[in-house]
Amino acid sequence: MALFVVFQTTFFLTLLSLRTYQSEVLAERLPLTPVSLKVSTNSIHQSLHLQWTVHNLPYHQELKMVFQIQISRIETSNVVWVGNYSTTVKWNQVLHWSWESELPLECATHFVRIKSVMDDASFPEPNFWSNWSSWEEVSVQDSLEKGILFVFPKDKLVEEGSNVTICYVSRNIQNNVSCYLEGKQIHGEQLDPHVTAFNLNSVPFIRNRGTNIYCEASQGNVSKGIEGIVLFVSKVLEEPKDFSCETQDFKTLHCTWDPGTDTALGWSKQPSQSYTLFESFSGEKKLCTHKNWCNWQITQDSQETYNFTLIAENYLRKRSVNILFNLTHRVYLMNPFNVDFENVNATNAIMTWKVHSMRNDFTCLCQIELHGEGKMMQYDVSIKVNGEYFLSELEPATEYMARVRCADASHFWKWSEWSGQNFTTLEAAPSEAPDVWRSVNSEPGNHTVTLFWKPLSKLHANGKILFYNVVVENLDKPSRSELRSIPAPANSTKLILDRCSYQICVTANNSVGASPASIIVISADPENKEVEEERIAGTDGGFSLSWKPQPGDVIGYVVDWCDHPQDVLQWKNVGPNTTSTVISTDAFRPGVRYDFRIYGLSTKRIACLLEKKTGYSQELAPSDNPHVLVDMLTSHSFTLSWKDYSTESQPGFIQGYHVYLKSKARQCHPRFQKAVLSDGSECCKYKIDNPEEKALIVDNLKPESSYEIFVTPFTSAGEGPNATFTKVTTPDEHSSMLIHILLPMVFCVLLIMIVCYLKSQWIKETCYPDIPDPYKSSILSLIKFKENPHLTIMNVSDCIPDAIEVVSKPEGTKIQILGTRKSLTETELTKPNYLYLLPTEKNHSGPGPCICFENFTYNQAASDSGFCGHVPVSPKAPPSMLGLMTSPENVLKALEKNYMNSLGEVPAGETSLNYVSQLASPMSGDKDSLPTNPVEPPYCSEYKMQMAVPLRLALPRPTENSSLSSITLLDPGEHYR
């Protein structure tokens, strides 16, 4: 007991001494200044790392302290950062702290100092800051390698939109340094003569391989070196979106998310962000190998609630997102399978399918979608494993696509993927009559009916239309009907009907049956009712038509028209209580004229034409100008006409014409107004408001003046195209008088020339008859030789004379010889020149007797007077008897009468020419009296030349030894060949 009392007394005394010591320590100011401050650098992260200790701390005590750190740059007075660092300090503990610099450490010298203060509750107030530690200087420039120029920081990694400071260090202050960011010069702040810093605010992402920055040192125009860096700018790491987990078999959870932008950079500077899946209830963690999904194995325990955290991380940032869910609420079923159709007919079908089994008490909600003919129908049904649904009210001959998907019926999470199949219903008979119309062309004795029908829509055809049946029934003779089967896809047929009333029925047929009949009646009366045509204006929406209702009972109206340029008849049916409609179609084109006809349908299905309308959906300016003729040109007026110009073929209704007139006087005539053309020139304009008026008289003009005219039509859209003006010059005032005189004269001359040309053959035969051919003379038929019946007249070329002798050339009064137009002197009349043709052989005693005859065509006067040049000669007659046996007086007398008349001294009709030809046998008499017993001479071997001898020409007597062949008159100096 005594020992216990001693121990207790000792304990209390020790405790009292400790409290006394503590009180004394607290009563004093403890020297807690940080000591042993050391600063190191990390160039990769551009950071300063500080470490220090605090002395005089109580042994085995932990005190909370606050340290204030001050960092200066270049000089100690240039403080760039001040901050506090709070921590719990133990006795003899080495403290650490890091600071990242905005400016690269290589660009400036940094100074660091630190002080502290107690922040522990066990220390009484007030607390005082300790003294500052001494400045600790940090300089990295001294460790740089040799070089002229340096750029920092090297390969820095920052996020897009960050602010970055770069700098360069130049060893030679004489160098001029320029820096560039992606080729664009940047300007900075000089920190000292060797260092310049550049602040880049909100740096953009340019490329995965980084942003290029370089600086160039130069003196004058000489480059001293280039140094550069690559600044790696990363996309900002995004928080994962749409993070979700679900199961399809209660064995595996499949988690998915949207990773956002990939932050990977080139040169392996930064890989893509990584994703980690952490489950907080189990404490398990899994590093995901994919960017947007990850699988988590479900354990066999009874855990149904999961709390997942998805962590995204890269070198610069970390982001996370979490979800909390019950496993049974995240069931995503697999696709249904074995989809099929049973008992398919024209309107019904049964759809069947299966789903994958889950749990015994699991119920599926399935959704069915049916697509067909542009419509979609949807049905819902609950099943366990096998599904079945009856599809009704389907369209015949229609292809459908049916699909199904399923989900958990107890806790709906999401639908499964679709599983589907196509099927086609069977055909049925067409359900609607075809829309039928007709075009009737009435001709004498019959009707030509062109029947048209529109193809049935797929909804009403109920299958493929194979043909159309057209039944034509004669209403006047009911026993007579005609059936025509027209294969599809034809939509028209032509019928030629007589002047009876006919009922036409048209049905469409497919493989199952026929449609209801469409009936139309053609009346026996011709459809030639005259209806006045009305003009209408179209709009962008089409043509708005209205008409007066037809008196009496009507079952409807029909409006038909032709679509250009196909000219296909189109029509529209309108109800009986409607008297207006709008015709709109994409086939309407601007500038095209459309003709509309409105019919009323009676209860007997007979169509009656009510109204006609015509118009353009959009009128355009005329496409061409008329060809203008200038008529009735006088000194003061002329007439313009363009009768052949067609207004029907224009792209608008022609409302009239504009006549433009130009003149040098630049003064408009009456009725004309001044106008300015599109080219800025001035002229005069006259407006014609009647499109059928296609002529204009332009008067009050000046003689001998030039005018230019141009005529163009206009519609509501504007005038016709620009064209060249036609120039017209008015004549002087006297020229018209000359024209009135000269034109009749010219006409008369032309008429005479035409008559002469047409009667040229008659004039020639009357005034200048052809010379007859001796070979074709009728006299030859009178000569019949007994021994030589083939004797004919010889050609001149068959006999060549041996010599020609001219006896004398007397001069005297000349007379003109017909044929050569030469003249003979008076002496020649008394002493004519003689031409002797000598025999071809000197010893020849002369040919046998030859015969001569007259050409009565050339000797009408001689024959009338009884002259005959035919002299019978005996075979022994001397050669002199072979001449022309006539007296000189007769020859001279004939010469005077025939050849003097050629000079105009004797009246026409008294001249005559005796054409004499010699043959081998003499004959006597004229052409009408031949000798009864002619002498038969031997064959005449010598040609007896023909001659044309004027009558009463004196002939000399030939010598006994000569044989005269013929005599003719030649001019002096003229030779006979």
Side-chain angles (χ1 to χ4, degrees), residues 740-755:
H740 286 85
I741 296 173
L742 292 177
L743 284 179
M745 294 179 63
V746 172
F747 177 77
C748 292
V749 172
L750 290 175
L751 182 60
I752 293 172
M753 293 177 64
I754 292 172
V755 171

Side-chain angles (χ1 to χ4, degrees), residues 325-622:
F325 61 91
N326 189 295
L327 181 62
T328 58
H329 298 177
R330 294 296 179 98
V331 178
Y332 174 56
L333 295 180
M334 289 184 283
N335 304 346
F337 62 99
N338 287 351
V339 178
D340 200 4
F341 299 92
E342 301 174 355
N343 300 330
V344 179
N345 56 32
T347 56
N348 302 317
I350 297 176
M351 181 178 179
T352 60
W353 69 95
K354 293 182 179 182
V355 295
H356 296 273
S357 61
M358 299 291 288
R359 296 177 177 177
N360 294 332
D361 57 345
F362 194 84
T363 302
C364 294
L365 174 65
C366 294
Q367 187 178 77
I368 300 171
E369 278 189 0
L370 184 65
H371 297 264
E373 292 299 315
K375 297 185 297 183
M376 189 271 290
M377 294 168 284
Q378 195 174 82
Y379 313 98
D380 293 333
V381 59
S382 296
I383 64 169
K384 289 291 185 179
V385 177
N386 299 326
E388 181 178 297
Y389 192 82
F390 180 73
L391 301 173
S392 60
E393 298 181 357
L394 304 179
E395 297 294 337
T398 302
E399 183 178 5
Y400 287 93
M401 191 277 291
R403 59 181 186 171
V404 60
R405 61 182 180 179
C406 298
D408 184 2
S410 301
H411 305 283
F412 182 85
W413 164 240
K414 64 170 60 173
W415 292 108
S416 68
E417 294 297 326
W418 290 102
S419 295
Q421 190 78 15
N422 291 354
F423 71 98
T424 303
T425 56
L426 302 181
E427 290 188 357
S431 59
E432 187 173 287
D435 186 2
V436 179
W437 188 236
R438 86 294 179 274
S439 175
V440 180
N441 184 18
S442 297
E443 299 176 356
N446 57 42
H447 296 302
T448 300
V449 179
T450 304
L451 202 64
F452 300 91
W453 56 84
K454 295 179 181 179
L456 291 176
S457 65
K458 192 174 183 181
L459 178 64
H460 299 116
N462 294 338
K464 182 180 179 181
I465 299 299
L466 302 178
F467 58 91
Y468 296 88
N469 280 338
V470 178
V471 179
V472 181
E473 182 181 356
N474 191 325
L475 298 179
D476 297 336
K477 300 176 183 178
S479 61
R480 295 181 58 184
S481 62
E482 179 185 356
L483 172 63
R484 294 188 181 186
S485 182
I486 301 171
N491 61 351
S492 66
T493 186
K494 184 173 290 188
L495 306 173
I496 299 178
L497 309 177
D498 56 18
R499 289 292 187 175
C500 296
S501 296
Y502 284 88
Q503 175 179 284
I504 303 175
C505 300
V506 181
T507 58
N509 297 261
N510 61 12
S511 61
V512 177
S515 69
S518 181
I519 301 174
I520 194 167
V521 175
I522 306 299
S523 174
D525 298 330
E527 295 191 356
N528 55 2
K529 180 181 178 181
E530 293 295 333
V531 177
E532 184 178 355
E533 189 174 64
E534 178 187 354
R535 289 185 177 182
I536 58 175
T539 62
D540 294 338
F543 291 90
S544 179
L545 305 178
S546 62
W547 57 90
K548 296 179 181 179
Q550 185 181 15
D553 294 334
V554 294
I555 61 174
Y557 298 94
V558 176
V559 180
D560 70 3
W561 70 97
C562 283
D563 278 346
H564 294 270
Q566 294 84 4
D567 287 334
V568 177
L569 184 67
Q570 301 289 326
W571 67 93
K572 180 179 181 180
N573 295 305
V574 183
N577 299 323
T578 304
T579 57
S580 64
T581 186
V582 175
I583 306 298
S584 60
T585 174
D586 295 336
F588 289 150
R589 297 184 305 155
V592 178
R593 187 170 178 174
Y594 296 93
D595 299 325
F596 297 90
R597 294 175 297 183
I598 302 172
Y599 293 85
L601 291 179
S602 67
T603 54
K604 295 182 179 181
R605 306 293 299 181
I606 299 176
C608 178
L609 179 61
L610 302 180
E611 295 183 18
K612 289 183 179 180
K613 299 179 185 292
T614 182
Y616 297 84
S617 61
Q618 179 183 349
E619 287 193 56
L620 302 179

Side-chain angles (χ1 to χ4, degrees), residues 288-307:
C288 300
T289 57
H290 299 89
K291 293 181 181 180
N292 58 349
W293 65 273
C294 191
N295 286 334
W296 185 276
Q297 295 297 322
I298 297 175
T299 59
Q300 298 300 325
D301 55 16
S302 59
Q303 181 181 354
E304 290 187 355
T305 304
Y306 291 84
N307 185 9

Side-chain angles (χ1 to χ4, degrees), residues 573-700:
N573 295 305
V574 183
N577 299 323
T578 304
T579 57
S580 64
T581 186
V582 175
I583 306 298
S584 60
T585 174
D586 295 336
F588 289 150
R589 297 184 305 155
V592 178
R593 187 170 178 174
Y594 296 93
D595 299 325
F596 297 90
R597 294 175 297 183
I598 302 172
Y599 293 85
L601 291 179
S602 67
T603 54
K604 295 182 179 181
R605 306 293 299 181
I606 299 176
C608 178
L609 179 61
L610 302 180
E611 295 183 18
K612 289 183 179 180
K613 299 179 185 292
T614 182
Y616 297 84
S617 61
Q618 179 183 349
E619 287 193 56
L620 302 179
S623 58
D624 58 354
N625 295 317
H627 177 65
V628 181
L629 299 178
V630 180
D631 298 327
M632 307 295 291
L633 178 61
T634 67
S635 57
H636 296 283
S637 66
F638 56 81
T639 301
L640 304 177
S641 63
W642 51 96
K643 302 294 184 181
D644 297 334
Y645 184 69
S646 175
T647 59
E648 298 297 325
S649 60
Q650 297 302 316
F653 292 118
I654 300 299
Q655 299 180 352
Y657 305 91
H658 287 158
V659 181
Y660 293 94
L661 178 66
K662 288 183 180 180
S663 64
K664 294 182 179 179
R666 294 186 179 181
Q667 292 182 354
C668 293
H669 297 72
R671 301 182 299 167
F672 283 81
Q673 296 179 351
K674 284 190 176 182
V676 179
L677 299 177
S678 58
D679 58 358
S681 61
E682 294 184 356
C683 66
C684 300
K685 182 176 75 172
Y686 178 75
K687 183 179 180 182
I688 301 176
D689 293 325
N690 184 5
E692 300 302 324
E693 184 179 341
K694 300 180 181 180
L696 176 67
I697 298 176
V698 182
D699 52 7
N700 297 322

